[in-house]
Amino acid sequence: MAKLPVSLTINGDEHDLLIEPRKTLLAVLRDTIGLTGTKEGCSTGDCGACTVIVDGKAVTSCMVLGVTASGKEITTIEGLASDGELHPVQQAFIETGGYQCGFCTPGFIMASKALIDENPDRTEEEFRYALGGNICRCTGYTKILEAILQAAEEVRSTS
Amino acid sequence: MKSFEFYEPTTLAEASRLFAEEHAQLLAGGTDLVIGMKALTETPQSVISLQKIPGLAGITTDGDSINIGAMTKVREVELSADILQHHTALAEGASEIGSIQIRNLATVGGNIAHASPAADTVAGLLVADAQVDIASANGERTVPINELFTGPGQTVLRSGEIITRFRLPSPASGSHYIKHKIREVMDLAFIGVAAAINIDNGTITDARIGLAAVAPTPIRATEAEDLLKGNAPTPELLEQAGEAAAAASSPISDLRCSAEHRREMVDVLTRRTLEQAAERANG
Ligand SMILES: Cc1cc2nc3c(=O)[nH]c(=O)nc-3n(C[C@@H](O)[C@@H](O)[C@H](O)COP(=O)(O)OP(=O)(O)OC[C@H]3O[C@@H](n4cnc5c(N)ncnc54)[C@H](O)[C@@H]3O)c2cc1C
Ligand code: FES
Ligand code: FES
């Protein structure tokens, strides 16, 4: 089918694009816009590597048709740092070594950011459960959890 | 994914008219449809989004009755204070779906219309006696949820018909949902059991049991419910109810477990679900 006009606000910048309805938001971000920080793992909603934040909610962008994101605010891993300063979750991943190959990391960081924005007071168990939709095949998760707990603590102490 | 025409109607009438055409499919949150289109098990020529139609999402109360719009995200159902209090089993079922990222997309209407016998909101809606409001270009009708399903992936929905909301008329004082699964998160139910009961002065005045993934469609275990009504929730009675629920099930054997195991687990899980629901009803 013909391409449709869409207007996406990505990391604060407006993009007016023509896209095919069958393109997922993930494909639009990576292939059309060139923001390749968001990763494609399974493409079936299972791994969380493609997690982005749409209107404040973490979603798997491989499950979203790009045309349906028109008019919405999208934040990707490229949009987290501000004024050259990393977001506390990004900083914590570096400090704890919460990654190895790094493929799952953008998804974990975006999912964690949304969780901490929603409620930084979660217990370790609650964070663990809430991140069940993100899969890492390298780290064994210990350092990832440390990173999230550290970032949550940081956000609690500065808010 | 095959190409398709994409429509975003802003009225139900328009959506229904488009959906009544051949090879048309509805898009709610997309978590079933997009997967299907990627796998080419769904190859619609037109996809009609319900996302731009006002009034289809949200949870409202109307006296004792709670209304859930078909386009309400399951994450919102899981977190709703009203649903948690009055229909705990439904909130618990919603919280069992996929991951938070999936629950921020998936709608209740889609979970039900897709008609998987293992859908996690279905047992909770069954024990809430949900009334399903349906609209089409030809008018509106209401179907009780226990009459909605006709087989795996099959419902009584006719061409062009769209679910608009679920009405939950009577709150239960205690309800609970157990999903039998292997992995804590992101696993489909081997079995889903919900129970809702009201207890007055030590006597069960009303009892409903909903079973998912143990028959071609989700079912109510009515014989078990009848055993409970008018009696005290003693351990012996709850055990008998579990056996009656297992007798009402007709599970299949598959890669994941045998029919015998499933039937045995319906017995055990119905008893445990009832115990928890009774504790909540008393508390
Ligand atoms: C990774 C992953 C994990 C999952 N885990 C679970 C799980 O643990 N438990 C579980 O129950 N489900 C699970 N699911 C499936 C669940 O997300 C879906 O069943 C979801 O609820 C469907 O809603 P939707 O809005 O996404 O529907 P869509 O995909 O948009 O729609 C599916 C179909 O339903 C029909 N439909 C939708 N809305 C309506 C309506 N209002 N009226 C009439 N017909 C309609 C249409 O035919 C449509 O094509 C999982 C999915 C994924 C991707
Ligand atoms: S790529 Fe989207 S969840 Fe795996
Ligand atoms: S760091 Fe390699 S997948 Fe997580």
Side-chain angles (χ1 to χ4, degrees):
Chain A
M1 151 173 195
K3 295 183 174 181
L4 295 178
V6 299
S7 169
L8 306 177
T9 307
I10 302 169
N11 303 328
D13 298 331
E14 213 172 290
H15 296 260
D16 293 313
L17 310 163
L18 282 173
I19 57 180
E20 250 195 293
R22 66 173 165 169
K23 274 212 159 194
T24 62
L25 176 59
L26 174 63
V28 173
L29 290 170
R30 289 181 56 87
D31 307 340
T32 313
I33 316 237
L35 290 173
T36 53
T38 307
K39 302 300 177 203
E40 173 165 23
C42 62
S43 233
T44 52
D46 291 288
C47 77
C50 65
T51 302
V52 300
I53 298 178
V54 177
D55 285 350
K57 311 264 186 224
V59 300
T60 42
S61 59
C62 70
M63 293 281 93
V64 176
L65 296 179
V67 283
T68 65
S70 195
K72 297 187 175 160
E73 296 252 354
I74 298 147
T75 309
T76 70
I77 187 73
E78 290 90 347
L80 270 199
S82 67
D83 297 333
E85 199 160 314
L86 293 180
H87 185 276
V89 182
Q90 293 174 301
Q91 192 60 39
F93 266 77
I94 293 175
E95 284 169 18
T96 59
Y99 53 87
Q100 287 178 23
C101 79
F103 196 82
C104 68
T105 315
F108 263 106
I109 290 180
M110 298 313 287
S112 306
K113 183 208 183 270
L115 287 175
I116 292 173
D117 284 350
E118 186 183 84
N119 171 16
D121 292 325
R122 287 183 166 85
T123 62
E124 175 172 346
E125 196 54 35
E126 287 165 345
F127 273 117
R128 195 183 270 277
Y129 185 81
L131 286 166
N134 291 79
I135 292 176
C136 173
R137 62 176 210 179
C138 305
T139 64
Y141 302 100
T142 307
K143 300 281 178 189
I144 293 179
L145 262 170
E146 267 175 36
I148 289 154
L149 290 169
Q150 180 178 320
E153 175 59 42
E154 164 86 19
V155 168
R156 274 198 304 267
S157 66
T158 53
S159 63
Chain B
M1 216 185 291
K2 288 252 165 70
S3 296
F4 50 81
E5 301 285 328
F6 182 70
Y7 299 93
E8 286 185 304
T10 52
T11 65
L12 268 174
E14 177 67 359
S16 165
R17 196 186 58 71
L18 289 163
F19 184 36
E21 311 253 316
E22 263 187 73
H23 308 297
Q25 190 50 284
L26 292 178
L27 175 78
T31 61
D32 280 323
L33 181 62
V34 173
I35 292 240
M37 291 196 299
K38 286 184 182 189
L40 301 182
T41 51
E42 292 272 0
T43 51
Q45 285 167 10
S46 58
V47 169
I48 299 120
S49 166
L50 298 175
Q51 295 177 8
K52 291 279 158 73
I53 302 173
L56 287 183
I59 299 166
T60 55
T61 52
D62 178 6
D64 268 354
S65 182
I66 297 183
N67 301 328
I68 307 174
M71 288 294 284
T72 309
K73 304 293 184 193
V74 293
R75 179 75 175 153
E76 194 181 333
V77 171
E78 159 192 4
L79 297 176
S80 154
D82 283 329
I83 295 182
L84 259 173
Q85 183 181 353
H86 299 297
H87 299 283
T88 318
L90 177 58
E92 289 171 333
S95 78
E96 292 277 2
I97 293 178
S99 59
I100 293 182
Q101 291 98 310
I102 295 295
R103 301 202 289 282
N104 278 335
L105 293 170
T107 66
V108 195
N111 197 233
I112 294 305
H114 192 63
S116 155
D120 277 310
T121 61
V122 72
L125 286 171
L126 274 170
V127 299
D129 230 349
Q131 302 297 305
V132 185
D133 287 344
I134 298 165
S136 74
N138 302 323
E140 293 171 17
R141 63 178 179 133
T142 298
V143 175
I145 186 129
N146 61 338
E147 293 170 19
L148 189 75
F149 305 103
T150 54
Q154 304 292 319
T155 66
V156 298
L157 290 176
R158 302 180 197 125
S159 163
E161 282 193 326
I162 296 168
I163 298 176
T164 55
R165 65 173 178 179
F166 301 90
R167 281 182 290 120
L168 282 41
S170 37
S173 41
S175 73
H176 185 47
Y177 177 67
I178 296 182
K179 175 180 187 172
H180 187 43
K181 64 208 164 183
I182 294 180
R183 199 183 160 215
E184 192 60 40
V185 186
M186 298 289 265
D187 200 356
L188 280 188
F190 287 90
I191 298 169
V193 184
I197 51 185
N198 286 320
I199 296 179
D200 189 23
N201 262 328
T203 302
I204 299 174
T205 52
D206 201 3
R208 300 191 200 111
I209 298 168
L211 304 176
V214 297
T217 67
I219 53 169
R220 286 269 297 271
T222 45
E223 295 83 1
E225 294 173 1
D226 290 340
L227 278 175
L228 294 166
K229 280 179 233 172
N231 293 302
T234 59
E236 297 73 34
L237 184 68
L238 300 193
E239 205 155 299
Q240 284 171 20
E243 286 163 18
S249 70
S250 51
I252 54 163
S253 293
D254 63 14
L255 278 178
R256 303 199 300 158
C257 68
S258 67
E260 290 74 19
H261 177 70
R262 279 203 170 87
R263 190 171 288 115
E264 192 59 38
M265 287 312 291
V266 172
D267 179 348
V268 174
L269 295 178
T270 301
R271 176 170 52 70
R272 286 189 197 154
T273 316
L274 283 166
E275 283 165 3
Q276 183 70 37
E279 202 176 302
R280 288 185 176 150
N282 279 323

